[in-house]
């Protein structure tokens, strides 16, 4: 008797998660797809009852999103910004993780905590700090750097710097904890074979880290494509960032400023699809290369 | 020679700190790694130190004194900030604590119970449920934001505390982590023994499993707490009434209102400083619980 009674328990334990999943994930996704395939049709002057009707338009909104020049400019900006952020942030994260793990470093604990610290600073606050540091009237950086850090040609770099500052420590710690889990005698063996610290890092540590690097890269790609907080927060401080600087900012504008929910829904699905394609594409390229080498 | 010690000695050296590392310093490139790391540390600490200094300056000092010196206006800045719009900053701080604390607690509870069920029971549909829940990781926040807002509007819940709290309870990656922790920390034999002693399944979870999972749950709680505290998009979309704003959205509105009025800069900078102090304090005290080997999936 106890056995059949026990069978119901796991389902009971999983009920809260499944209910939340249905309400806040499945239903909204379904609703986005539904919205993305509809549009308001206005007949006559759009006055009176029934003049505005919601009709099914199939894939028209997607076609419009793919053909939208403003959106493409956003994609190009995010592509440039993302390439910069990903290479610098993950490069630094890897460098710092390897340095922390090498036996020759002093003040390792202090450095580790200091570099991870920006993780505790919300994106809005981080952008605000750097934004003020970029302001010509306040910036101590202006004493050493004679450029307008919020100008049209520099603002992408300035924004990338905020993302690098905020994200390096987290990725560094992810890679560092993976390194710490590796048995130390593996390095001792390499040292006995005459390998230098640099060779150990390149030939032993980086290959072991590869899965962790791939994982952090994929999550960074997904986060970068959805960039919203930093450009939105920086906007009040400069006129070089448009309200459609990134694709997600355009989704926000369409949905909540111009009130075109249908376009916004279609665009957000396109963003989701592109992040999925890029993540899977990255995984594929990496896997193919791994096979070539192996 | 430091480089050729045996494995146990190397392990001891790691635990014991930097005693045995002196030899490395004699090489010409020996200080380079330390210098590079310290450069990184300075880069990361610099804006935080700068905002600490800037928050101490009165409006006139902000533009007249050297950028890297203390001012005399900290207390009056704080006073002004708390007086701003009848103390709305306090409200934002309280709201943030409610969203982040309440949300992270609920999220941890749901994740722990789900993870435990998935790790410790065999039942039809287990793999399917797990796959479906974990699939949620792949769904970008963008796709959810608009329909979530519309659905909340439909039920009259947009612009309420629930609109920010409820969508952040389910966190697929935390469920995955909880499952990993439960599998590792809760021995089947202990559960069987308790069953033989006549414990019910609910009691078993509450009295045996969850206490064993506590360290893992602390990690999940911390990551959720920071994630919700840092969230901007969801409250930005859901809330219209600034009395319900968390600090992130509040700071944004402060900036949007004051970006062209240098007289308000000291208020904005003091607000930014005060809003990061609690998180940095939490971060430093809970140092040892940040285990990112299992949590590298948390998207910031």
């Amino acid at each position: 008797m106890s056995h059949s009674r026990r069978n119901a328990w796991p389902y009971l334990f999983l009920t809260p998660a499944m209910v939340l999943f249905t309400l806040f994930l499945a239903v909204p996704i379904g609703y986005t797809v539904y919205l993305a395939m509809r549009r308001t049709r206005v007949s006559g002057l759009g006055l009176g009852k029934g003049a505005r009707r919601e009709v099914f338009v199939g894939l028209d909104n997607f076609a419009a999103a793919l053909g939208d020049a403003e959106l493409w400019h956003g994609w190009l900006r995010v592509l440039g910004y993302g390439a910069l952020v990903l290479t610098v942030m993950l490069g630094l994260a890897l460098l710092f993780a390897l340095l922390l793990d090498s036996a020759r470093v002093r003040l390792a604990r202090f450095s580790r905590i200091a570099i991870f610290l920006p993780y505790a600073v919300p994106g809005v606050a981080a952008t605000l700090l750097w934004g003020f540091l970029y302001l010509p009237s306040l910036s101590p950086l202006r004493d050493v750097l004679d450029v307008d850090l919020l100008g049209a040609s520099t603002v992408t770099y300035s924004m990338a710097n905020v993302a690098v500052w905020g994200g390096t420590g987290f990725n560094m710690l992810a890679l560092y904890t993976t390194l710490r889990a590796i048995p130390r005698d593996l390095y001792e063996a390499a040292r006995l074979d005459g390998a230098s610290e640099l060779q150990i890092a390149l030939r032993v540590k980086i290959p072991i880290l590869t899965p962790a690097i791939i994982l952090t890269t994929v999550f960074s790609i997904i986060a970068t494509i959805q960039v919203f907080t930093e450009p939105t927060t920086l906007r009040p401080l400069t006129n070089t960032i448009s309200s459609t600087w990134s694709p997600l900012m355009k989704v926000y504008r369409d949905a909540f400023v111009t009130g075109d929910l249908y376009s916004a829904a279609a665009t957000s699905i396109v963003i989701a699809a592109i992040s999925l394609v890029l993540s899977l594409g990255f995984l594929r390229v990496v896997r193919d290369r791994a096979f070539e080498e192996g | 020679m430091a480089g050729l010690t045996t494995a146990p000695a190397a392990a001891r050296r790691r635990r014991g700190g930097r005693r045995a590392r002196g030899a490395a310093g004699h090489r010409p490139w020996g200080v380079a790694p330390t210098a590079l790391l310290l450069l990184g540390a300075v880069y990361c600490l610099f804006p935080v130190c700068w905002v600490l200094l800037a928050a101490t300056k009165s409006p006139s000092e902000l533009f007249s004194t050297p950028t890297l010196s203390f001012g005399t206006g900290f207390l009056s800045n704080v006073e002004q900030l708390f007086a701003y719009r009848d103390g709305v900053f306090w409200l934002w701080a309280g709201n943030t604590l409610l969203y982040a604390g309440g949300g992270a607690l609920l999220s941890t509870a749901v994740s722990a119970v789900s993870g435990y069920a998935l790790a410790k029971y065999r039942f039809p549909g287990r793999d399917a449920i797990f796959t479906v829940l974990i699939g949620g990781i792949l769904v970008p926040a963008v796709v959810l934001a608009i329909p979530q807002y519309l659905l909340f509007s439909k039920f009259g819940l947009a612009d309420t505390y629930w609109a920010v709290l409820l969508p952040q309870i389910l966190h697929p990656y935390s469920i995955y982590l909880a499952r990993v922790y439960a599998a590792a920390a809760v021995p089947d034999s202990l559960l069987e023994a308790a069953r033989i002693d006549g414990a019910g399944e609910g009691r078993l979870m509450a009295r045996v499993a969850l206490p064993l999972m506590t360290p893992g749950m602390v990690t999940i709680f911390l990551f959720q707490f920071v994630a919700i505290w840092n969230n901007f998009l969801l409250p930005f979309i859901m809330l219209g009434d600034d009395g319900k704003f968390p600090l992130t959205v509040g700071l944004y509105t402060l900036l949007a209102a004051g970006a062209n009025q240098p007289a308000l800069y000291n208020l904005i900078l003091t607000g930014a400083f005060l809003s990061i102090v609690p998180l940095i304090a939490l971060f430093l005290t809970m140092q040892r619980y940040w285990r990112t080997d299992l949590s590298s999936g948390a998207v910031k």
Side-chain angles (χ1 to χ4, degrees):
Chain A
M1 70 122 219
S2 84
H3 201 76
S4 64
R5 277 252 309 274
R6 194 194 294 173
N7 286 342
W9 278 94
Y11 297 108
L12 193 71
F13 290 152
L14 284 164
T15 305
M18 293 311 286
V19 169
L20 289 167
F21 183 90
T22 310
L23 288 180
F24 300 113
L25 252 131
V27 172
I29 291 171
Y31 195 43
T32 317
V33 175
Y34 171 82
L35 276 176
M37 295 197 291
R38 299 178 74 80
R39 183 145 281 288
T40 314
R41 277 285 144 75
V42 182
S43 54
L45 291 170
L47 304 167
K49 213 175 172 170
R52 284 172 176 275
R53 287 184 307 125
E54 215 187 69
V55 292
F56 179 81
V57 294
L59 301 176
D60 285 7
N61 292 330
F62 293 105
L66 290 174
D68 185 342
E70 209 178 12
L71 200 59
W72 277 109
H73 288 135
W75 281 118
L76 288 177
R77 277 187 292 262
V78 166
L79 200 70
Y81 160 89
L84 207 62
V85 171
L86 285 175
T87 44
V88 178
M89 178 177 78
L90 296 174
L92 284 179
L94 179 62
L95 174 71
F96 290 148
L98 288 171
L99 288 176
L100 279 178
D101 192 60
S102 79
R104 315 184 180 284
V105 166
R106 289 154 186 277
L107 298 171
R109 198 179 133 78
F110 165 77
S111 306
R112 194 187 72 217
I113 294 173
I115 295 172
F116 186 42
L117 190 77
Y119 173 71
V121 179
V124 173
T127 314
L128 216 150
L129 296 191
W130 281 104
F132 275 90
L133 279 169
Y134 296 150
L135 272 186
S137 55
L138 289 179
S139 180
L141 302 174
R142 280 308 283 270
D143 303 340
V144 268
L145 270 171
D146 190 30
V147 276
D148 178 8
L149 294 166
L150 291 169
S153 57
T154 50
V155 76
T156 301
Y157 298 98
S158 301
M159 220 173 333
N161 175 55
V162 180
V164 168
W165 183 79
T168 298
F170 185 84
N171 290 299
M172 171 197 77
L173 207 64
L175 298 178
Y176 175 67
T177 11
T178 311
L179 275 177
R180 302 297 294 160
I182 301 168
R184 314 310 291 181
D185 40 358
L186 203 63
Y187 307 147
E188 298 302 331
R191 277 189 199 109
L192 285 175
D193 287 345
S196 70
E197 285 296 317
L198 189 66
Q199 281 171 324
I200 292 175
L202 295 177
R203 299 276 184 80
V204 183
K205 292 182 182 178
I206 290 185
I208 294 177
L209 274 180
T210 303
I213 296 172
I214 292 171
L215 196 70
T216 50
T217 311
V218 168
F219 282 113
S220 303
I221 290 175
I222 295 174
T224 309
I225 288 171
Q226 296 182 58
V227 61
F228 179 80
T229 308
E230 290 84 359
T232 304
T233 312
L234 211 52
R235 245 167 72 74
L237 290 173
T238 168
N239 51 16
T240 51
I241 301 168
S242 71
S243 65
T244 55
W245 191 89
S246 80
L248 184 48
M249 288 169 78
K250 184 165 157 42
V251 170
Y252 177 81
R253 200 205 55 178
D254 286 349
F256 300 102
V257 182
T258 52
D260 185 356
L261 292 170
Y262 313 101
S263 291
T267 309
S268 55
I269 291 175
V270 171
I271 296 177
I274 290 185
S275 59
L276 196 70
V277 167
L278 280 184
S279 309
L280 293 178
F282 175 78
L283 283 174
R284 208 191 152 87
V285 168
V286 170
R287 209 187 42 203
D288 288 352
R289 275 202 45 199
F291 279 131
E292 270 170 40
E293 284 170 10
Chain B
M1 248 183 79
L4 281 177
T5 43
T6 54
R12 198 164 57 239
R13 197 172 68 218
R14 295 221 147 256
R15 277 198 302 274
R18 34 194 110 89
R19 271 180 318 231
R21 291 182 203 166
H26 296 304
R27 304 197 186 174
W29 51 273
V31 291
T34 305
L36 273 175
L37 269 176
L38 285 179
L39 261 178
V42 168
Y43 165 64
C44 288
L45 291 178
F46 169 66
V48 176
C49 296
W50 178 78
V51 79
L52 162 70
L53 292 174
T56 65
K57 292 180 181 179
S58 67
S60 61
E61 287 170 335
L62 194 57
F63 296 99
S64 59
T65 56
T67 42
L68 297 179
S69 67
F70 277 100
T72 58
F74 183 64
L75 289 178
S76 80
N77 283 344
V78 173
E79 230 169 84
Q80 270 186 57
L81 182 68
F82 286 154
Y84 177 75
R85 310 234 344 262
D86 299 323
V88 76
F89 190 84
W90 281 112
L91 214 55
W92 294 341
N95 291 340
T96 306
L97 206 61
L98 179 76
Y99 293 134
L105 268 181
L106 288 170
S107 181
T108 308
V110 169
S111 304
V113 172
S114 313
Y116 167 69
L118 288 166
K120 290 295 161 187
Y121 290 87
R122 304 275 172 280
F123 53 94
R126 183 177 75 142
D127 291 340
I129 291 176
F130 183 65
T131 310
V132 165
L133 285 176
I134 293 307
I137 295 176
L138 293 173
V139 182
V142 198
V143 189
L144 299 172
I146 298 166
Q148 277 178 351
Y149 172 78
L150 293 174
L151 294 169
F152 272 106
S153 301
K154 223 162 233 173
F155 294 102
L157 287 170
D159 201 18
T160 65
Y161 284 97
W162 298 114
V164 176
L165 204 54
L166 292 177
Q168 303 196 85
I169 296 175
L170 183 77
H171 191 240
Y173 203 80
S174 298
I175 294 178
Y176 167 76
L177 285 185
R179 181 184 176 161
V180 173
Y181 282 126
V186 186
D188 285 326
S189 53
L190 202 64
L191 295 177
E192 278 313 316
R195 277 189 189 115
I196 290 164
D197 288 346
E201 298 301 310
R203 221 181 133 78
L204 210 59
M205 182 189 68
R207 296 287 172 82
V208 181
L210 291 189
L212 289 170
M213 289 169 67
T214 308
M217 284 161 67
V218 173
T219 304
I220 293 175
F221 176 85
L222 282 177
F223 276 105
Q224 278 301 94
F225 188 88
V226 174
I228 301 175
W229 186 291
N230 289 352
N231 197 345
F232 175 70
L233 184 67
L234 186 75
F236 187 61
I237 284 176
M238 288 291 183
L239 302 174
D241 164 21
D242 69 359
K244 301 188 189 83
F245 282 177
L247 278 168
T248 48
V249 183
L251 272 179
Y252 170 76
T253 57
L254 204 60
L255 180 70
N260 298 316
Q261 306 172 50
L264 282 178
Y265 281 8
N266 65 319
L267 226 60
I268 298 170
L269 286 165
T270 309
F273 173 67
L274 291 183
S275 73
I276 60 177
V277 167
L279 263 193
I280 290 182
L282 174 85
F283 168 89
L284 291 175
T285 46
M286 305 301 266
Q287 257 292 333
R288 63 204 178 95
Y289 282 104
W290 298 106
R291 307 230 340 160
T292 33
D293 51 335
L294 288 174
S295 47
S296 48
V299 178
K300 201 196 159 181

